Amino acid sequence: MIRVLIADDEELIRTAVVALLDLEDDITVIAQADNGDDAMALAAAHDPDVVLLDLEMPPTDGIYTAERILGAHPRAKAVLVTRHARPGVLKRALASGIAGFVPKSTPVSALATVIRDIAAGRRYVDPDIAATALAADRCPLTPRELDVLRMTRQNAPIQHIARTLHLAEGTVRNYLSTAMTKLDAPSRHAAADIAWENGWV
């Protein structure tokens, strides 16, 4: 029996997936959570074979949650489920040891097959997500632009970014402005989010 932990903050989707997976003869859902912190605690309590995690849930995303669970439970396998499959997210997920990557539109019968494959030690990446990742554009940003966006993602103020990177505040603003223009972003935080979603920072 494959023992599965599911974490998704959308209750309707989570409970439907739980109910349908429990109909499978060889899969049982041993615990469910609506956030990453509870998922980590439940993994510690139940030692699941496979954790099925939503990418976007509070207070931490699915990749962070998977890293912590896999670090504490090396035998476990992780599958990430997402509505927005950005190429950079796929790269980060695979680098974090996540073995499966599927869109939320995946039928539960197909998801059950993926869970079996993952439990058996194989990997699965949705073909459309993989094709998008292979066709992704190269990063248009310079290393310094990436540096300032990386710190912006950490909510660092411009003064702190300037001190840390040994730059003038005006230079930091110039790098941010150029990055925003290149990414067609309305703000520096939006630019940082785009860079993060594409796996550049």
Side-chain angles (χ1 to χ4, degrees):
M1 187 67 76
I2 302 169
R3 304 166 69 253
V4 178
L5 163 65
I6 295 179
D8 191 318
D9 63 328
E10 295 183 66
E11 184 176 359
L12 183 61
I13 291 174
R14 186 183 71 253
T15 55
V17 170
V18 168
L20 291 169
L21 283 178
D22 272 339
L23 296 176
E24 301 289 330
D25 293 336
D26 57 344
I27 296 174
T28 182
V29 178
I30 56 169
Q32 56 177 300
D34 63 2
N35 66 79
D37 286 348
D38 286 351
M40 288 184 270
L42 288 169
H46 296 281
D47 193 24
D49 300 313
V50 175
V51 292
L52 187 68
L53 304 169
D54 182 23
L55 172 64
E56 300 175 29
M57 59 181 172
T60 58
D61 67 20
I63 296 176
Y64 178 90
T65 302
E67 287 175 336
R68 297 305 178 275
I69 291 174
L70 296 176
H73 307 274
R75 189 184 61 80
K77 310 290 184 187
V79 180
L80 201 65
V81 183
T82 181
R83 183 172 283 117
H84 307 290
R86 302 270 186 171
V89 173
L90 172 59
K91 292 174 192 170
R92 269 198 315 281
L94 294 176
S96 299
I98 293 169
F101 202 96
V102 297
K104 279 201 171 180
S105 57
T106 304
V108 173
S109 58
L111 182 59
T113 300
V114 170
I115 289 171
R116 291 184 188 100
D117 287 345
I118 299 304
R122 293 185 285 273
R123 280 189 163 192
Y124 177 85
V125 177
D126 176 76
D128 290 338
I129 295 173
T132 301
L134 289 172
D137 292 334
R138 294 176 65 90
C139 177
L141 304 174
T142 66
R144 265 307 191 211
E145 289 163 356
L146 291 172
D147 287 341
V148 296
L149 290 181
R150 190 173 293 110
M151 295 194 68
T152 297
R153 278 279 304 165
Q154 299 165 358
N155 291 319
I158 288 176
Q159 296 86 347
H160 178 71
I161 296 173
R163 281 197 307 273
T164 303
L165 298 179
H166 307 290
L167 298 170
E169 290 181 22
T171 303
V172 170
R173 288 190 179 89
N174 288 340
Y175 281 132
L176 289 169
S177 177
T178 305
M180 288 164 54
T181 300
K182 288 180 179 178
L183 300 178
D184 193 25
S187 70
R188 66 187 180 109
H189 294 287
D193 287 342
I194 292 170
W196 180 82
E197 289 167 354
N198 281 282
W200 301 329
V201 297

